Amino acid sequence: MGKNELIQYTILIIVSCNVIGLIFTLVSIHVTALNRFKIQKRRIKPITFYKRLPLIIFNISLLILISYLGLYFFYDYGLFVEGESLNKSSTFSIITAQLFLILVIDDLYFYFLHAMMHKNKFILKKIHYLHHRSIAPVALEYIYVHPLEWMSGYLGPFIGILIISLFGPVSIFSFWLYQIIRNIHELDVHSGFKSKFSKWIPFWGETEHHDKHHESLNGNYATTFTFWDEVFGTKI
Ligand SMILES: [Zn+2]
Ligand SMILES: [Zn+2]
């Protein structure tokens, strides 16, 4: 697989996840029959969401551009290989282990970044508070954030990839699976819907975990997993 194909597939993943997210969000704000499955009693007015949409679309466009440039750079440094190039007998276990490591490292990085944005009142007011205008968020509001916030957050998976690459090449499939899981997870935890299945996965950050953070503006700073908040005593 060439560099262009790798970049095209990655962008296709990002666009698909966000188109699904947009459809899901529109259904969730317009179909009032779904309200009984929601965690909070508060509701966003559809007009409020539409006013927020330009920043959301701007952030997604920038995300595509930065992913393009990031992968262009990373590919040239030989950090990625295709799954088939890894040792065949252990391809599945290597991809799974790499995926898990990227998710854990990214979540730890996000934990510190997010907790810092709450402790530093200047950054909270100027940057992070924008995301907290959503007290009862809907799915696509995961990216209703100051561009500087998600750009600093997007360093997380690449820190993970750099650490893993010290021990060997990173499979592009680990990265793609990371992108899909992280994106769908962000849509899920901002959806406001009570979790049905994810609550049964140990240490998985279910919707209630992040929804509580939006409701109380305090604690539950990690997103993918719940254990970092347990470890640092910030679980609410
Ligand atoms: Zn926050
Ligand atoms: Zn959020």
Side-chain angles (χ1 to χ4, degrees):
M1 188 187 302
K3 178 155 71 170
N4 286 341
E5 269 176 302
L6 183 144
I7 293 172
Q8 279 164 12
Y9 284 127
T10 308
I11 290 172
L12 186 69
I13 289 170
I14 297 173
V15 172
S16 310
C17 288
N18 285 292
V19 168
I20 293 168
L22 177 63
I23 297 166
F24 178 42
T25 305
L26 293 176
V27 170
S28 79
I29 58 176
H30 287 289
V31 182
T32 49
L34 294 173
N35 285 347
R36 64 198 168 102
F37 301 110
K38 290 255 176 173
I39 300 165
Q40 295 188 36
K41 292 260 181 290
R42 288 189 190 90
R43 306 278 172 250
I44 187 177
K45 287 189 187 123
I47 186 69
T48 308
F49 175 72
Y50 290 120
K51 280 184 187 162
R52 291 174 180 175
L53 204 48
L55 176 62
I56 290 172
I57 291 170
F58 173 76
N59 279 337
I60 294 171
S61 313
L62 211 56
L63 172 68
I64 291 167
L65 181 70
I66 289 181
S67 302
Y68 178 89
L69 296 173
L71 288 174
Y72 202 87
F73 169 83
F74 266 55
Y75 189 91
D76 284 350
Y77 278 79
L79 293 181
F80 287 119
V81 293
E82 291 167 48
E84 301 81 57
S85 316
L86 297 164
N87 180 347
K88 272 216 161 45
S89 58
S90 54
T91 301
F92 178 77
S93 48
I94 287 180
I95 290 174
T96 311
Q98 289 182 344
L99 167 67
F100 182 69
L101 273 173
I102 299 172
L103 284 167
V104 169
I105 295 167
D106 170 48
D107 202 37
L108 177 62
Y109 169 75
F110 181 77
Y111 175 91
F112 285 121
L113 179 73
H114 191 190
M116 179 278 288
M117 288 192 292
H118 277 267
K119 282 183 188 110
N120 184 317
K121 298 301 168 204
F122 179 77
I123 294 178
L124 178 65
K125 195 172 159 224
K126 295 283 179 196
I127 293 177
H128 188 52
Y129 191 72
L130 180 68
H131 182 59
H132 280 293
R133 283 190 193 168
S134 321
I135 299 165
V138 286
L140 209 59
E141 283 184 313
Y142 88 89
I143 200 157
Y144 181 64
V145 290
H146 193 294
L148 283 178
E149 177 178 334
W150 75 256
M151 279 195 261
S152 352
Y154 202 33
L155 287 174
F158 293 98
I159 294 172
I161 289 165
L162 276 173
I163 293 173
I164 297 168
S165 71
L166 297 174
F167 304 94
V170 180
S171 165
I172 188 61
F173 294 111
S174 315
F175 177 66
W176 282 339
L177 282 169
Y178 161 83
Q179 284 279 2
I180 295 167
I181 291 171
R182 186 76 161 81
N183 212 324
I184 299 289
H185 178 262
E186 279 298 298
L187 291 165
D188 179 36
V189 298
H190 287 92
S191 70
F193 287 108
K194 291 172 196 159
S195 53
K196 284 247 182 292
F197 308 107
S198 54
K199 64 180 175 189
W200 302 110
I201 308 171
F203 304 113
W204 190 247
E206 78 282 18
T207 316
E208 286 81 352
H209 177 81
H210 194 66
D211 199 86
K212 260 188 208 163
H213 174 71
H214 275 266
E215 210 181 355
S216 70
L217 254 184
N218 185 29
N220 287 2
Y221 297 119
T223 174
T224 313
F225 301 104
T226 53
F227 48 68
W228 293 126
D229 283 289
E230 304 258 17
V231 168
F232 298 111
T234 48
K235 192 171 187 325
I236 50 171

